[in-house]
Amino acid sequence: MSDGLNWVKATTLDDLWEGDFVDVEVDGEVVVIFHRTGGELRAFQGMCPHQEILLADGHIDFDEGTITCPAHEWQFSMDDGKGINPRGCRLFQYDVRREGEDVLIGVPTDNRLRRLRHEAEDA
Ligand code: FES
């Protein structure tokens, strides 16, 4: 394919119902995948950019569309992975698509960093 992505099966819709999420390992990185109400899928790096804590252990609010890390409560948007509090950080966002019952994650083939880090001054 010429989209610069290697599409990898990460899970199935049977294991990821609407209003639910899973974290899986894809090509050596933890990825958290959300199945939002209405059917939309979103996928981000699964480790917090602050100190690499599992975001799937945090507070996931589908109504607000937020992901809150369990460690120091950094909060991210489920729309695009951008930091809500604090701002200036973000989660790496993966392309995601479904193929029948399978959920596929697009792993960039250009060796781009897929686990973004953010240096916090005060934490
Ligand atoms: S590790 Fe996630 S907020 Fe500190």
Side-chain angles (χ1 to χ4, degrees):
M1 299 295 282
S2 60
D3 57 5
L5 299 173
N6 181 29
W7 289 96
V8 177
K9 178 181 170 183
T11 188
T12 66
L13 292 176
D14 211 30
D15 288 324
L16 181 60
W17 292 14
E18 199 169 304
D20 202 0
F21 65 96
V22 291
D23 62 334
V24 292
E25 191 172 313
V26 177
D27 195 39
E29 294 289 347
V30 181
V31 178
V32 61
I33 311 169
F34 300 96
H35 192 171
R36 303 182 78 172
T37 311
E40 194 179 304
L41 296 168
R42 286 278 198 271
F44 302 100
Q45 73 181 64
M47 306 300 278
C48 181
H50 181 211
Q51 291 181 356
E52 304 210 323
I53 299 292
L54 267 181
L55 291 170
D57 289 341
H59 180 68
I60 310 299
D61 189 327
F62 280 94
D63 292 332
E64 295 291 324
T66 56
I67 308 154
T68 304
C69 179
H72 313 100
E73 301 189 333
W74 283 21
Q75 194 174 60
F76 305 90
S77 165
M78 206 183 283
D79 292 330
D80 53 14
K82 285 189 180 153
I84 296 168
N85 185 21
R87 295 190 182 276
C89 59
R90 71 182 178 92
L91 306 175
F92 180 86
Q93 183 171 8
Y94 287 86
D95 286 275
V96 57
R97 76 177 189 213
R98 64 188 80 194
E99 215 170 78
E101 286 297 299
D102 293 341
V103 176
L104 308 182
I105 295 294
V107 178
T109 55
D110 61 1
N111 290 326
R112 195 174 339 153
L113 196 58
R114 292 180 284 131
R115 190 192 308 174
L116 305 179
R117 289 297 308 267
H118 181 81
E119 301 306 327
E121 304 77 40
D122 60 345

